Amino acid sequence: RRVLRTRPSRAGRPTACGYDIIIDDGSHVPKHMLLTFRHLWPYVRPGGMYVIEDIGFSYVDAPSKIYGYQLGDGGIGQPPPGNLVEKFKQVADLVSRQWCQPLANYTVFTPEVDRSIWSVQFLSGAIVVHKQSLGQATLITHVRKVAMKSVTSKMYAGGSLKAWRLKLDAEQRDW
């Protein structure tokens, strides 16, 4: 097993073969954590996991500083990049759509990242994201084919999917 544990001053350099586990124990600033995930996720091997520690600063909703970085645009229900947890709650909907909304076309991170996520777990003070193994990717392809036979676009014509896409499209993504 290869593990990468990131810290601001000692982040390892990923190799071409990648890592089984990456643990982000970096700056604890939600925007930085999103940026780190975006850049390191491609180095997680299929079937591997990415762990984000110390997610509590996503809930800071008053002007504050940590390690010299400004916080305060977080809080329960606040959008990313101020709240990292809210971004990964979007991933929960993303991984479920494979089974029940195969026609839904929206992006949480990037199409490549979105397609590779198998699951997301919320733990006390941490988020764990699992990358699809090759077997799971094959299963999803099969499930989509089966679901496409029974799911129609009329089933999702109530407007919630359109509203969700608009919310994602309006999100600040400069991280």
Side-chain angles (χ1 to χ4, degrees):
R1 287 208 166 268
R2 295 195 51 175
V3 177
L4 171 64
R5 184 177 187 99
T6 67
R7 292 196 184 267
S9 62
R10 313 182 255 164
R13 298 232 13 120
T15 64
C17 56
Y19 297 94
D20 296 309
I21 302 170
I22 294 178
I23 302 170
D24 178 357
D25 190 23
S27 79
H28 308 323
V29 175
K31 185 175 183 176
H32 296 171
M33 297 163 106
L34 287 166
L35 181 66
T36 304
F37 175 80
R38 191 177 79 196
H39 287 284
L40 293 181
W41 178 252
Y43 296 102
V44 175
R45 291 179 180 159
M49 71 175 72
Y50 189 97
V51 180
I52 305 167
E53 293 185 343
D54 300 319
I55 61 173
F57 291 103
S58 285
Y59 299 103
V60 174
D61 62 0
S64 307
K65 283 193 173 187
I66 181 170
Y67 308 122
Y69 294 104
Q70 188 65 40
L71 296 174
D73 57 347
I76 293 176
Q78 293 301 311
N83 189 318
L84 165 92
V85 175
E86 291 300 320
K87 188 65 177 172
F88 284 94
K89 285 180 184 178
Q90 296 170 0
V91 174
D93 289 322
L94 174 77
V95 297
S96 294
R97 87 166 175 209
Q98 308 290 344
W99 304 92
C100 58
Q101 294 181 334
L103 300 173
N105 185 19
Y106 57 86
T107 302
V108 173
F109 282 103
T110 67
E112 297 78 24
V113 170
D114 291 0
R115 279 192 301 272
S116 67
I117 296 175
W118 177 252
S119 69
V120 61
Q121 293 176 287
F122 298 90
L123 309 175
S124 179
I127 295 172
V128 179
V129 185
H130 295 267
K131 189 172 252 188
Q132 283 183 4
S133 68
L134 298 177
Q136 291 164 335
T138 302
L139 174 64
I140 288 295
T141 300
H142 175 71
V143 166
R144 276 194 195 132
K145 288 178 185 175
V146 171
M148 293 296 280
K149 293 177 183 175
S150 58
V151 175
T152 68
S153 58
K154 289 182 182 180
M155 297 171 105
Y156 303 102
S160 65
L161 185 58
K162 182 178 180 181
W164 182 244
R165 267 195 222 118
L166 290 172
K167 179 180 176 181
L168 290 173
D169 290 345
E171 197 173 86
Q172 179 186 350
R173 294 191 187 202
D174 63 348
W175 38 267

